Amino acid sequence: MRCWWLTPLLWIGAAHGSVTGVPDLEQAERDYQQHCQQCHGVNRIGGAGPALLPQSLSRIKPDEIRQVIENGRPASQMAAFGAVLEAARIDSLTHYLQRPPAVEPTWSEEDIRHSHRVLADVATLPDKPQHNADPLNLFVVVEAGDHHVDIVDGDRFEVLARFASHFAVHGGPKFSPDGRFVYLASRDGWISLYDLHNLKLIAEVRAGLNTRNLAVSKDGRWVLVGNYLPGNLAVLDARDLSLVKIIETVGRDGQASRVSAVYTAPPRNSFIVALKDVKEVWELSTGPKPDFAPRRIEVQDQLDDFSFSPDYHQLLATSRQAQGGQVIDLDSGRVVTDIALPGMPHLGSGTYWKRDGRWLFATPNISKGLVSVIDLDTWKVIKQIPTLGPGFFLRSHANSRYAWTDVFFAQDNDAVHLIDKQTLEIAHTLRPMPGKTAAHVEFTRDGRHLLLSIWDTDGALIVYDSNTLQEIKRLPMNKPSGKYNVGNKIEFVEGTSH
Ligand code: DHE
């Protein structure tokens, strides 16, 4: 999923005071050094506290940045500076933090190696689950509100373990092929390796200053991390996260590029790399003894927001030229077809299923209240399903009649629609907690139940029976965002993200 247009829509948190006036940036620099640097690092690259670079703050409204400086953050070490700094200085500091630092921050191979920490020796740990839950029906749940991760038993719906994550884990955690290990990426570049058998953190490394996401190779040997800052790829050894190689992402024409996202393509035994600033998509083979030299697929347009056909032969991406989606054959690199789609389709959150023996692909739309359904044989849009407003995620399971989608960006964001996968009509609309945003679903391995997030400080993970739609259980949580079922992910099943 990659969506440049979405960023302004995603500013988070409530506005309190407003940022006003002409900033005194020199005073702000002095205030940063005196009050912030100790936690947020020299040159703002982060330390005990998160990085405070424009890339790290781009999703947060200036008024929220100001409010956090003034009032601190509850349940964190971020203190309130309202009594220390007068209003105009807080305003200036808010401006200052949104500008690039005077010295461009760097993060070298040496910095990466220096940040590497091995916290437990896997060789000394039992290689069987040390809990009595089904290891392939565990869920990894990200609680974005207070930066924690929960490991949830997918049969009893109980939290087995909860641990603090690095700041802002984003994107899907990825699993080793046997489901024992999970890899998490934080927006600040920290990669964590966690053992789901022993419920223990194994290793951590900071692979970049601003990271998009990570992918794990089909054989489980390599972790690939895609970075915005610095724009590059980091290859890590999946056993302990030690650095194997940095790959500079420079286009054929010599232009440096940020990395939008990285993906694993299991049938191709490769990683696919989406580049943000050049008209290329890269494929890195992960076959035996890989050299990670990129195969460059030149494309006609800057592509965004990716998805793949079920066999990974084709890539679906949004393209401004195509005014919608573009399908690219990953072998020949040729454009198969353009798909005119209105608004801003969110292909990365799309999902596919079979209907009358044919594969369909459905995508939510972040600027229009509709879900577009495409026939994957003809690449024709066969239905536009109207919803209560623009949505973000769409999820299903082979054993579910319904695909669940949200209304993330509209007033009705407390509603979720259940689309009947055969009639392509909305069969039900639920409002699990009226007034609170409901979004992102993941099914249990057998598809009998599903977990839905209520994205609120006083939020919850709600467990539904996927057939009767009865609520089974409600686990209170602080802004649970994504959740990921081990079995569904390692088997790359239909209906979920890969
Ligand atoms: Fe995401 C996945 C990009 C903003 C929650 N998001 C992804 C992936 C990408 C992506 C490339 C796939 C990674 C993977 O699975 O390895 N997201 C982007 C953006 O470009 C965007 C729009 C802006 C940005 O600054 O990054 C963005 N995303 C958000 C949010 O604001 C969300 C709602 C809250 C948050 O945590 O930041 C958000 N993104 C998610 C979630 C997934 C995700 C929960 C995993 C979905 C899944 O089921 O796999």
Side-chain angles (χ1 to χ4, degrees):
M1 174 191 333
R2 212 6 250 129
C3 5
W4 50 272
W5 54 67
L6 197 51
T7 306
L9 297 173
L10 287 170
W11 275 339
I12 44 180
H16 288 250
S18 284
V19 186
T20 53
V22 179
D24 179 346
L25 297 173
E26 285 175 14
Q27 178 61 49
E29 162 76 20
R30 286 194 292 278
D31 283 335
Y32 179 82
Q33 300 303 340
Q34 186 181 347
H35 301 291
C36 320
Q37 195 238 54
Q38 205 184 351
C39 288
H40 296 282
V42 175
N43 221 7
R44 292 157 44 192
I45 65 169
L52 297 178
L53 298 166
Q55 292 88 342
S56 333
L57 296 172
S58 62
R59 295 175 328 109
I60 305 177
K61 282 181 183 167
D63 287 351
E64 197 205 351
I65 300 173
R66 191 194 187 289
Q67 189 267 328
V68 172
I69 300 171
E70 186 175 356
N71 302 320
R73 257 197 204 285
S76 84
Q77 288 173 29
M78 177 63 197
F81 288 89
V84 181
L85 299 173
E86 63 201 40
R89 277 165 70 179
I90 295 182
D91 284 346
S92 294
L93 201 47
T94 306
H95 281 287
Y96 168 84
L97 294 178
Q98 293 169 87
R99 294 175 191 216
V103 179
E104 195 181 328
T106 56
W107 197 246
S108 65
E109 289 196 15
E110 200 191 333
D111 291 320
I112 297 177
R113 289 189 209 284
H114 194 66
S115 71
H116 184 217
R117 302 168 198 156
V118 175
L119 307 166
D121 179 3
V122 173
T124 64
L125 295 173
D127 63 0
K128 298 274 176 302
Q130 300 302 296
H131 50 75
N132 56 10
D134 174 355
L136 296 186
N137 198 27
L138 295 178
F139 284 83
V140 173
V141 182
V142 175
E143 274 190 83
D146 59 359
H147 309 285
H148 275 71
V149 173
D150 299 272
I151 310 302
V152 175
D153 176 339
D155 292 294
R156 298 180 191 91
F157 307 115
E158 285 164 3
V159 176
L160 292 181
R162 185 169 193 271
F163 60 94
S165 70
H166 281 278
F167 184 78
V169 166
H170 170 247
K174 301 287 154 34
F175 298 86
S176 58
D178 61 359
R180 172 171 171 184
F181 298 104
V182 60
Y183 301 83
L184 302 133
S186 84
R187 288 189 183 265
D188 272 3
W190 281 100
I191 309 301
S192 307
L193 165 57
Y194 185 86
D195 180 350
L196 291 165
H197 282 1
N198 293 287
L199 304 177
K200 218 181 219 338
L201 266 170
I202 300 297
E204 294 187 327
V205 68
R206 192 172 187 188
L209 293 178
N210 191 257
T211 287
R212 298 299 302 165
N213 73 325
L214 62 79
V216 175
S217 60
K218 182 188 171 188
D219 62 4
R221 275 291 287 120
W222 316 106
V223 174
L224 186 70
V225 182
N227 291 321
Y228 255 17
L229 187 68
N232 63 21
L233 294 163
V235 182
L236 309 176
D237 187 318
R239 292 172 297 196
D240 65 356
L241 302 183
S242 54
L243 179 66
V244 175
K245 184 172 186 174
I246 287 288
I247 304 167
E248 298 302 336
T249 40
V250 178
R252 220 186 266 286
D253 60 1
Q255 192 190 327
S257 178
R258 292 166 288 173
V259 177
S260 290
V262 294
Y263 305 89
T264 305
R268 308 176 69 81
N269 238 321
S270 67
F271 288 127
I272 304 289
V273 178
L275 295 174
K276 182 154 177 70
D277 306 305
V278 294
K279 293 181 183 173
E280 290 175 27
V281 173
W282 286 8
E283 181 164 34
L284 312 182
S285 168
T286 52
K289 298 208 178 131
D291 61 3
F292 302 108
R295 171 182 159 241
R296 293 164 191 267
I297 303 169
E298 294 196 36
V299 291
Q300 294 174 359
D301 193 8
Q302 241 119 352
L303 302 176
D304 257 303
D305 201 1
F306 280 22
S307 201
F308 297 89
S309 56
D311 58 7
Y312 284 82
H313 281 314
Q314 283 108 8
L315 172 74
L316 281 84
T318 50
S319 142
R320 272 169 266 184
Q321 266 177 24
Q323 298 192 336
Q326 192 159 74
V327 183
I328 290 153
D329 184 281
L330 278 171
D331 293 319
S332 67
R334 290 210 190 91
V335 175
V336 177
T337 186
D338 289 347
I339 310 173
L341 288 168
M344 296 174 184
H346 195 203
L347 300 178
S349 265
T351 188
Y352 51 81
W353 63 83
K354 272 206 166 152
R355 177 178 176 253
D356 302 333
R358 296 169 80 93
W359 282 115
L360 302 185
F361 175 80
T363 171
N365 197 300
I366 59 173
S367 74
K368 283 195 182 301
L370 56 87
V371 168
S372 307
V373 186
I374 298 162
D375 183 316
L376 283 186
D377 283 335
T378 61
W379 298 107
K380 297 272 179 269
V381 178
I382 58 165
K383 181 103 190 225
Q384 303 279 20
I385 305 168
T387 64
L388 281 171
F392 206 141
F393 300 105
L394 181 71
R395 288 283 174 264
S396 188
H397 187 283
N399 296 338
S400 164
R401 279 177 64 181
Y402 308 114
W404 292 56
T405 194
D406 55 79
V407 191
F408 209 85
F409 298 108
Q411 223 180 351
D412 284 290
N413 57 9
D414 56 357
V416 282
H417 293 303
L418 281 60
I419 297 170
D420 186 307
K421 296 195 302 195
Q422 301 311 311
T423 64
L424 306 183
E425 304 283 345
I426 290 177
H428 304 276
T429 296
L430 310 179
R431 288 187 196 261
M433 281 175 91
K436 295 189 175 181
T437 304
H440 196 277
V441 152
E442 173 85 322
F443 287 75
T444 50
R445 193 171 174 221
D446 60 10
R448 282 186 49 213
H449 296 100
L450 62 94
L451 275 56
L452 168 81
S453 288
I454 303 297
W455 296 55
D456 196 273
T457 312
D458 292 319
L461 201 63
I462 303 188
V463 183
Y464 284 99
D465 181 308
S466 65
N467 283 317
T468 65
L469 308 182
Q470 292 303 306
E471 183 177 323
I472 304 292
K473 196 161 179 180
R474 206 172 266 221
L475 301 174
M477 286 198 187
N478 188 342
K479 282 201 188 151
S481 54
K483 63 210 74 65
Y484 311 88
N485 178 275
V486 176
N488 290 343
K489 296 298 177 194
I490 64 173
E491 285 155 20
F492 286 79
V493 301
E494 82 177 52
T496 188
S497 60
H498 293 167

